[in-house]
Amino acid sequence: ELLIVIIGVFIGNEVSNWNADRRERAGEREYLRRLDADLAADNRTLAGKLAYQREILAAAERTDAFLHEGRPCASGRCWAVLVDFFGASQWQDVASSRGVMEGLQRTPYPYDRALKQSLYDYYRSIQTLSALAAPSEYRRRLRMVIPARAQDRKSTRLNSSH
């Protein structure tokens, strides 16, 4: 009878461990599913920000070309020049949500150490980029010179009709 009790306790313990492992694996799968969705959203957001940064760069290049011409703006083109000066001063934070990074620190998931390290590296690089991409002195000075009313007219879209 003692052997039957010992075998029963052993089997019960193994079933309990198996259930705990199964729940743990299901938790990790759910975490990875949410992480995949977060990364896909980050990718879409960053792609949009990259496209916007390209518009800002184009405005900055047109502004630089105008300044190097050394001539006043042509009749009927002054607004476009002003829009480019303003467009070159646009700024956009590139930081992503810190929720995933903070979640990585609170959870054992993912168990794959290389994946976890890659995720840390990814979110740290975005944080670093965000810190480096602070609004410029050019932006501050230009926006002190351009009247707020003109800034409001321009703020919706960069001029790409050049």
mmCIF file of all heavy atoms in Angstrom, residues 25-65:
data_model
loop_
_atom_site.group_PDB
_atom_site.id
_atom_site.type_symbol
_atom_site.label_atom_id
_atom_site.label_comp_id
_atom_site.label_asym_id
_atom_site.label_seq_id
_atom_site.Cartn_x
_atom_site.Cartn_y
_atom_site.Cartn_z
ATOM 1 N N ARG A 25 4.424 27.917 -20.844
ATOM 2 C CA ARG A 25 4.628 27.989 -22.299
ATOM 3 C C ARG A 25 3.511 28.792 -22.962
ATOM 4 O O ARG A 25 3.758 29.577 -23.875
ATOM 5 C CB ARG A 25 4.717 26.586 -22.898
ATOM 6 C CG ARG A 25 6.041 25.896 -22.633
ATOM 7 C CD ARG A 25 6.200 24.615 -23.436
ATOM 8 N NE ARG A 25 5.086 23.685 -23.295
ATOM 9 C CZ ARG A 25 4.953 22.752 -22.352
ATOM 10 N NH1 ARG A 25 5.902 22.625 -21.450
ATOM 11 N NH2 ARG A 25 3.909 21.958 -22.298
ATOM 12 N N ALA A 26 2.282 28.609 -22.487
ATOM 13 C CA ALA A 26 1.160 29.381 -23.038
ATOM 14 C C ALA A 26 1.342 30.865 -22.731
ATOM 15 O O ALA A 26 1.065 31.723 -23.574
ATOM 16 C CB ALA A 26 -0.167 28.872 -22.481
ATOM 17 N N GLY A 27 1.839 31.184 -21.539
ATOM 18 C CA GLY A 27 2.114 32.579 -21.185
ATOM 19 C C GLY A 27 3.169 33.188 -22.077
ATOM 20 O O GLY A 27 3.047 34.336 -22.522
ATOM 21 N N GLU A 28 4.216 32.441 -22.352
ATOM 22 C CA GLU A 28 5.266 32.947 -23.233
ATOM 23 C C GLU A 28 4.737 33.130 -24.653
ATOM 24 O O GLU A 28 5.041 34.133 -25.308
ATOM 25 C CB GLU A 28 6.478 32.018 -23.253
ATOM 26 C CG GLU A 28 7.609 32.586 -24.106
ATOM 27 C CD GLU A 28 8.836 31.707 -24.159
ATOM 28 O OE1 GLU A 28 8.710 30.477 -24.008
ATOM 29 O OE2 GLU A 28 9.926 32.269 -24.375
ATOM 30 N N ARG A 29 3.942 32.173 -25.146
ATOM 31 C CA ARG A 29 3.365 32.323 -26.493
ATOM 32 C C ARG A 29 2.503 33.589 -26.580
ATOM 33 O O ARG A 29 2.574 34.328 -27.553
ATOM 34 C CB ARG A 29 2.530 31.090 -26.867
ATOM 35 C CG ARG A 29 3.343 29.957 -27.426
ATOM 36 C CD ARG A 29 2.478 28.873 -28.058
ATOM 37 N NE ARG A 29 1.430 28.366 -27.197
ATOM 38 C CZ ARG A 29 1.585 27.401 -26.282
ATOM 39 N NH1 ARG A 29 2.752 26.833 -26.117
ATOM 40 N NH2 ARG A 29 0.556 27.024 -25.545
ATOM 41 N N GLU A 30 1.699 33.835 -25.554
ATOM 42 C CA GLU A 30 0.852 35.035 -25.542
ATOM 43 C C GLU A 30 1.715 36.298 -25.508
ATOM 44 O O GLU A 30 1.451 37.274 -26.201
ATOM 45 C CB GLU A 30 -0.106 35.001 -24.348
ATOM 46 C CG GLU A 30 -0.950 36.251 -24.192
ATOM 47 C CD GLU A 30 -1.845 36.546 -25.388
ATOM 48 O OE1 GLU A 30 -2.151 35.632 -26.192
ATOM 49 O OE2 GLU A 30 -2.242 37.722 -25.532
ATOM 50 N N TYR A 31 2.764 36.282 -24.702
ATOM 51 C CA TYR A 31 3.668 37.413 -24.632
ATOM 52 C C TYR A 31 4.310 37.679 -25.996
ATOM 53 O O TYR A 31 4.357 38.818 -26.466
ATOM 54 C CB TYR A 31 4.753 37.170 -23.581
ATOM 55 C CG TYR A 31 5.760 38.282 -23.510
ATOM 56 C CD1 TYR A 31 5.482 39.448 -22.791
ATOM 57 C CD2 TYR A 31 6.974 38.202 -24.179
ATOM 58 C CE1 TYR A 31 6.400 40.485 -22.736
ATOM 59 C CE2 TYR A 31 7.886 39.231 -24.134
ATOM 60 C CZ TYR A 31 7.595 40.370 -23.409
ATOM 61 O OH TYR A 31 8.494 41.405 -23.374
ATOM 62 N N LEU A 32 4.777 36.620 -26.652
ATOM 63 C CA LEU A 32 5.405 36.771 -27.963
ATOM 64 C C LEU A 32 4.406 37.251 -29.012
ATOM 65 O O LEU A 32 4.761 38.025 -29.903
ATOM 66 C CB LEU A 32 6.060 35.452 -28.398
ATOM 67 C CG LEU A 32 7.288 35.044 -27.585
ATOM 68 C CD1 LEU A 32 7.742 33.642 -27.970
ATOM 69 C CD2 LEU A 32 8.410 36.047 -27.722
ATOM 70 N N ARG A 33 3.151 36.829 -28.897
ATOM 71 C CA ARG A 33 2.119 37.308 -29.821
ATOM 72 C C ARG A 33 1.916 38.812 -29.654
ATOM 73 O O ARG A 33 1.869 39.563 -30.621
ATOM 74 C CB ARG A 33 0.799 36.561 -29.575
ATOM 75 C CG ARG A 33 -0.289 36.906 -30.599
ATOM 76 C CD ARG A 33 -1.658 36.408 -30.169
ATOM 77 N NE ARG A 33 -2.134 37.005 -28.931
ATOM 78 C CZ ARG A 33 -2.531 38.285 -28.791
ATOM 79 N NH1 ARG A 33 -2.505 39.100 -29.817
ATOM 80 N NH2 ARG A 33 -2.959 38.733 -27.633
ATOM 81 N N ARG A 34 1.827 39.277 -28.401
ATOM 82 C CA ARG A 34 1.663 40.718 -28.150
ATOM 83 C C ARG A 34 2.908 41.493 -28.573
ATOM 84 O O ARG A 34 2.803 42.591 -29.119
ATOM 85 C CB ARG A 34 1.361 40.976 -26.679
ATOM 86 C CG ARG A 34 -0.060 40.578 -26.294
ATOM 87 C CD ARG A 34 -0.333 40.889 -24.868
ATOM 88 N NE ARG A 34 0.671 40.168 -24.090
ATOM 89 C CZ ARG A 34 0.917 40.339 -22.813
ATOM 90 N NH1 ARG A 34 0.242 41.195 -22.127
ATOM 91 N NH2 ARG A 34 1.845 39.646 -22.198
ATOM 92 N N LEU A 35 4.071 40.909 -28.328
ATOM 93 C CA LEU A 35 5.320 41.544 -28.738
ATOM 94 C C LEU A 35 5.373 41.701 -30.252
ATOM 95 O O LEU A 35 5.763 42.758 -30.764
ATOM 96 C CB LEU A 35 6.507 40.716 -28.248
ATOM 97 C CG LEU A 35 7.886 41.228 -28.599
ATOM 98 C CD1 LEU A 35 8.143 42.591 -27.964
ATOM 99 C CD2 LEU A 35 8.939 40.227 -28.147
ATOM 100 N N ASP A 36 4.954 40.681 -30.972
ATOM 101 C CA ASP A 36 4.917 40.741 -32.434
ATOM 102 C C ASP A 36 4.001 41.878 -32.898
ATOM 103 O O ASP A 36 4.355 42.645 -33.793
ATOM 104 C CB ASP A 36 4.441 39.404 -32.998
ATOM 105 C CG ASP A 36 4.478 39.376 -34.513
ATOM 106 O OD1 ASP A 36 5.547 39.631 -35.093
ATOM 107 O OD2 ASP A 36 3.419 39.102 -35.112
ATOM 108 N N ALA A 37 2.848 42.008 -32.263
ATOM 109 C CA ALA A 37 1.915 43.086 -32.623
ATOM 110 C C ALA A 37 2.529 44.455 -32.306
ATOM 111 O O ALA A 37 2.409 45.396 -33.102
ATOM 112 C CB ALA A 37 0.588 42.907 -31.889
ATOM 113 N N ASP A 38 3.205 44.566 -31.164
ATOM 114 C CA ASP A 38 3.846 45.836 -30.794
ATOM 115 C C ASP A 38 4.962 46.206 -31.776
ATOM 116 O O ASP A 38 5.098 47.360 -32.179
ATOM 117 C CB ASP A 38 4.430 45.768 -29.383
ATOM 118 C CG ASP A 38 3.382 45.805 -28.296
ATOM 119 O OD1 ASP A 38 2.214 46.144 -28.603
ATOM 120 O OD2 ASP A 38 3.717 45.488 -27.142
ATOM 121 N N LEU A 39 5.757 45.228 -32.148
ATOM 122 C CA LEU A 39 6.845 45.494 -33.097
ATOM 123 C C LEU A 39 6.307 45.867 -34.476
ATOM 124 O O LEU A 39 6.862 46.748 -35.141
ATOM 125 C CB LEU A 39 7.781 44.288 -33.190
ATOM 126 C CG LEU A 39 8.640 44.034 -31.944
ATOM 127 C CD1 LEU A 39 9.365 42.702 -32.058
ATOM 128 C CD2 LEU A 39 9.606 45.168 -31.699
ATOM 129 N N ALA A 40 5.218 45.220 -34.891
ATOM 130 C CA ALA A 40 4.607 45.568 -36.183
ATOM 131 C C ALA A 40 4.085 47.009 -36.138
ATOM 132 O O ALA A 40 4.251 47.769 -37.094
ATOM 133 C CB ALA A 40 3.487 44.589 -36.527
ATOM 134 N N ALA A 41 3.466 47.394 -35.015
ATOM 135 C CA ALA A 41 2.976 48.774 -34.871
ATOM 136 C C ALA A 41 4.149 49.758 -34.866
ATOM 137 O O ALA A 41 4.075 50.815 -35.493
ATOM 138 C CB ALA A 41 2.151 48.906 -33.591
ATOM 139 N N ASP A 42 5.229 49.413 -34.153
ATOM 140 C CA ASP A 42 6.428 50.262 -34.153
ATOM 141 C C ASP A 42 6.963 50.425 -35.571
ATOM 142 O O ASP A 42 7.360 51.516 -35.977
ATOM 143 C CB ASP A 42 7.537 49.643 -33.298
ATOM 144 C CG ASP A 42 7.484 50.054 -31.847
ATOM 145 O OD1 ASP A 42 6.603 50.860 -31.483
ATOM 146 O OD2 ASP A 42 8.335 49.565 -31.080
ATOM 147 N N ASN A 43 6.989 49.341 -36.308
ATOM 148 C CA ASN A 43 7.497 49.378 -37.678
ATOM 149 C C ASN A 43 6.657 50.318 -38.539
ATOM 150 O O ASN A 43 7.204 51.128 -39.304
ATOM 151 C CB ASN A 43 7.510 47.962 -38.261
ATOM 152 C CG ASN A 43 8.285 47.888 -39.551
ATOM 153 O OD1 ASN A 43 9.248 48.611 -39.758
ATOM 154 N ND2 ASN A 43 7.849 47.019 -40.436
ATOM 155 N N ARG A 44 5.343 50.235 -38.425
ATOM 156 C CA ARG A 44 4.468 51.136 -39.199
ATOM 157 C C ARG A 44 4.684 52.586 -38.776
ATOM 158 O O ARG A 44 4.791 53.483 -39.617
ATOM 159 C CB ARG A 44 3.003 50.739 -39.022
ATOM 160 C CG ARG A 44 2.614 49.464 -39.748
ATOM 161 C CD ARG A 44 1.112 49.208 -39.691
ATOM 162 N NE ARG A 44 0.589 49.108 -38.342
ATOM 163 C CZ ARG A 44 0.575 47.985 -37.613
ATOM 164 N NH1 ARG A 44 1.045 46.860 -38.121
ATOM 165 N NH2 ARG A 44 0.067 47.988 -36.397
ATOM 166 N N THR A 45 4.775 52.816 -37.485
ATOM 167 C CA THR A 45 4.978 54.174 -36.987
ATOM 168 C C THR A 45 6.313 54.734 -37.460
ATOM 169 O O THR A 45 6.393 55.868 -37.937
ATOM 170 C CB THR A 45 4.912 54.186 -35.443
ATOM 171 O OG1 THR A 45 3.624 53.747 -35.046
ATOM 172 C CG2 THR A 45 5.171 55.566 -34.880
ATOM 173 N N LEU A 46 7.362 53.940 -37.326
ATOM 174 C CA LEU A 46 8.684 54.405 -37.744
ATOM 175 C C LEU A 46 8.757 54.625 -39.250
ATOM 176 O O LEU A 46 9.436 55.548 -39.706
ATOM 177 C CB LEU A 46 9.766 53.433 -37.279
ATOM 178 C CG LEU A 46 10.009 53.427 -35.765
ATOM 179 C CD1 LEU A 46 10.981 52.309 -35.388
ATOM 180 C CD2 LEU A 46 10.510 54.769 -35.272
ATOM 181 N N ALA A 47 8.058 53.814 -40.030
ATOM 182 C CA ALA A 47 8.033 54.013 -41.488
ATOM 183 C C ALA A 47 7.378 55.355 -41.816
ATOM 184 O O ALA A 47 7.859 56.098 -42.679
ATOM 185 C CB ALA A 47 7.287 52.872 -42.172
ATOM 186 N N GLY A 48 6.296 55.684 -41.120
ATOM 187 C CA GLY A 48 5.650 56.980 -41.317
ATOM 188 C C GLY A 48 6.552 58.129 -40.905
ATOM 189 O O GLY A 48 6.633 59.150 -41.602
ATOM 190 N N LYS A 49 7.242 57.968 -39.787
ATOM 191 C CA LYS A 49 8.159 59.010 -39.328
ATOM 192 C C LYS A 49 9.331 59.178 -40.292
ATOM 193 O O LYS A 49 9.784 60.297 -40.536
ATOM 194 C CB LYS A 49 8.658 58.698 -37.916
ATOM 195 C CG LYS A 49 7.571 58.873 -36.871
ATOM 196 C CD LYS A 49 8.054 58.554 -35.475
ATOM 197 C CE LYS A 49 6.942 58.765 -34.473
ATOM 198 N NZ LYS A 49 7.391 58.582 -33.096
ATOM 199 N N LEU A 50 9.805 58.078 -40.851
ATOM 200 C CA LEU A 50 10.892 58.154 -41.830
ATOM 201 C C LEU A 50 10.448 58.925 -43.069
ATOM 202 O O LEU A 50 11.179 59.783 -43.581
ATOM 203 C CB LEU A 50 11.371 56.750 -42.212
ATOM 204 C CG LEU A 50 12.479 56.695 -43.253
ATOM 205 C CD1 LEU A 50 13.736 57.419 -42.778
ATOM 206 C CD2 LEU A 50 12.799 55.246 -43.603
ATOM 207 N N ALA A 51 9.249 58.642 -43.550
ATOM 208 C CA ALA A 51 8.734 59.368 -44.719
ATOM 209 C C ALA A 51 8.632 60.864 -44.405
ATOM 210 O O ALA A 51 8.993 61.706 -45.233
ATOM 211 C CB ALA A 51 7.369 58.810 -45.129
ATOM 212 N N TYR A 52 8.160 61.189 -43.222
ATOM 213 C CA TYR A 52 8.043 62.597 -42.822
ATOM 214 C C TYR A 52 9.427 63.239 -42.719
ATOM 215 O O TYR A 52 9.632 64.373 -43.157
ATOM 216 C CB TYR A 52 7.293 62.689 -41.499
ATOM 217 C CG TYR A 52 6.965 64.096 -41.099
ATOM 218 C CD1 TYR A 52 6.058 64.858 -41.835
ATOM 219 C CD2 TYR A 52 7.550 64.672 -39.983
ATOM 220 C CE1 TYR A 52 5.747 66.152 -41.461
ATOM 221 C CE2 TYR A 52 7.235 65.966 -39.609
ATOM 222 C CZ TYR A 52 6.339 66.704 -40.346
ATOM 223 O OH TYR A 52 6.040 67.977 -39.976
ATOM 224 N N GLN A 53 10.401 62.506 -42.166
ATOM 225 C CA GLN A 53 11.761 63.035 -42.062
ATOM 226 C C GLN A 53 12.354 63.303 -43.447
ATOM 227 O O GLN A 53 13.114 64.249 -43.626
ATOM 228 C CB GLN A 53 12.657 62.072 -41.278
ATOM 229 C CG GLN A 53 12.312 61.951 -39.809
ATOM 230 C CD GLN A 53 12.438 63.259 -39.062
ATOM 231 O OE1 GLN A 53 13.352 64.039 -39.301
ATOM 232 N NE2 GLN A 53 11.505 63.519 -38.169
ATOM 233 N N ARG A 54 11.988 62.490 -44.415
ATOM 234 C CA ARG A 54 12.459 62.726 -45.791
ATOM 235 C C ARG A 54 11.871 64.023 -46.335
ATOM 236 O O ARG A 54 12.547 64.752 -47.067
ATOM 237 C CB ARG A 54 12.108 61.539 -46.677
ATOM 238 C CG ARG A 54 12.988 60.345 -46.419
ATOM 239 C CD ARG A 54 12.693 59.193 -47.359
ATOM 240 N NE ARG A 54 13.641 58.125 -47.118
ATOM 241 C CZ ARG A 54 13.306 56.859 -46.998
ATOM 242 N NH1 ARG A 54 12.048 56.475 -47.127
ATOM 243 N NH2 ARG A 54 14.223 55.947 -46.777
ATOM 244 N N GLU A 55 10.614 64.314 -46.021
ATOM 245 C CA GLU A 55 10.008 65.590 -46.437
ATOM 246 C C GLU A 55 10.747 66.758 -45.785
ATOM 247 O O GLU A 55 11.004 67.770 -46.432
ATOM 248 C CB GLU A 55 8.529 65.642 -46.040
ATOM 249 C CG GLU A 55 7.626 64.729 -46.828
ATOM 250 C CD GLU A 55 6.169 64.892 -46.415
ATOM 251 O OE1 GLU A 55 5.745 66.037 -46.111
ATOM 252 O OE2 GLU A 55 5.461 63.878 -46.389
ATOM 253 N N ILE A 56 11.078 66.606 -44.501
ATOM 254 C CA ILE A 56 11.807 67.654 -43.786
ATOM 255 C C ILE A 56 13.179 67.859 -44.419
ATOM 256 O O ILE A 56 13.611 68.994 -44.644
ATOM 257 C CB ILE A 56 11.933 67.302 -42.286
ATOM 258 C CG1 ILE A 56 10.541 67.325 -41.630
ATOM 259 C CG2 ILE A 56 12.888 68.249 -41.574
ATOM 260 C CD1 ILE A 56 10.515 66.754 -40.226
ATOM 261 N N LEU A 57 13.857 66.778 -44.745
ATOM 262 C CA LEU A 57 15.171 66.873 -45.384
ATOM 263 C C LEU A 57 15.065 67.567 -46.742
ATOM 264 O O LEU A 57 15.901 68.417 -47.077
ATOM 265 C CB LEU A 57 15.792 65.486 -45.548
ATOM 266 C CG LEU A 57 17.154 65.450 -46.235
ATOM 267 C CD1 LEU A 57 18.188 66.281 -45.480
ATOM 268 C CD2 LEU A 57 17.624 64.007 -46.385
ATOM 269 N N ALA A 58 14.051 67.233 -47.517
ATOM 270 C CA ALA A 58 13.869 67.881 -48.821
ATOM 271 C C ALA A 58 13.660 69.388 -48.642
ATOM 272 O O ALA A 58 14.226 70.193 -49.389
ATOM 273 C CB ALA A 58 12.701 67.259 -49.574
ATOM 274 N N ALA A 59 12.869 69.779 -47.644
ATOM 275 C CA ALA A 59 12.657 71.208 -47.369
ATOM 276 C C ALA A 59 13.969 71.861 -46.942
ATOM 277 O O ALA A 59 14.283 72.982 -47.352
ATOM 278 C CB ALA A 59 11.584 71.390 -46.294
ATOM 279 N N ALA A 60 14.755 71.167 -46.129
ATOM 280 C CA ALA A 60 16.048 71.710 -45.692
ATOM 281 C C ALA A 60 16.996 71.871 -46.882
ATOM 282 O O ALA A 60 17.710 72.875 -46.975
ATOM 283 C CB ALA A 60 16.668 70.793 -44.632
ATOM 284 N N GLU A 61 16.988 70.918 -47.789
ATOM 285 C CA GLU A 61 17.846 71.026 -48.971
ATOM 286 C C GLU A 61 17.416 72.183 -49.870
ATOM 287 O O GLU A 61 18.263 72.910 -50.402
ATOM 288 C CB GLU A 61 17.840 69.706 -49.741
ATOM 289 C CG GLU A 61 18.602 68.610 -49.015
ATOM 290 C CD GLU A 61 18.415 67.223 -49.609
ATOM 291 O OE1 GLU A 61 17.470 67.017 -50.406
ATOM 292 O OE2 GLU A 61 19.236 66.340 -49.275
ATOM 293 N N ARG A 62 16.107 72.386 -50.033
ATOM 294 C CA ARG A 62 15.633 73.533 -50.831
ATOM 295 C C ARG A 62 15.978 74.847 -50.131
ATOM 296 O O ARG A 62 16.373 75.822 -50.781
ATOM 297 C CB ARG A 62 14.124 73.418 -51.074
ATOM 298 C CG ARG A 62 13.746 72.305 -52.027
ATOM 299 C CD ARG A 62 12.276 72.349 -52.411
ATOM 300 N NE ARG A 62 11.363 72.238 -51.291
ATOM 301 C CZ ARG A 62 10.848 71.092 -50.840
ATOM 302 N NH1 ARG A 62 11.162 69.943 -51.426
ATOM 303 N NH2 ARG A 62 10.011 71.087 -49.817
ATOM 304 N N THR A 63 15.883 74.863 -48.811
ATOM 305 C CA THR A 63 16.240 76.055 -48.043
ATOM 306 C C THR A 63 17.724 76.362 -48.223
ATOM 307 O O THR A 63 18.111 77.509 -48.472
ATOM 308 C CB THR A 63 15.912 75.841 -46.546
ATOM 309 O OG1 THR A 63 14.515 75.638 -46.419
ATOM 310 C CG2 THR A 63 16.331 77.023 -45.703
ATOM 311 N N ASP A 64 18.552 75.339 -48.118
ATOM 312 C CA ASP A 64 19.994 75.518 -48.292
ATOM 313 C C ASP A 64 20.313 76.029 -49.695
ATOM 314 O O ASP A 64 21.132 76.945 -49.862
ATOM 315 C CB ASP A 64 20.707 74.182 -48.020
ATOM 316 C CG ASP A 64 22.210 74.337 -48.037
ATOM 317 O OD1 ASP A 64 22.736 75.155 -47.262
ATOM 318 O OD2 ASP A 64 22.850 73.627 -48.850
ATOM 319 N N ALA A 65 19.669 75.459 -50.700
ATOM 320 C CA ALA A 65 19.895 75.900 -52.085
ATOM 321 C C ALA A 65 19.494 77.372 -52.239
ATOM 322 O O ALA A 65 20.210 78.160 -52.872
ATOM 323 C CB ALA A 65 19.102 75.026 -53.059
#
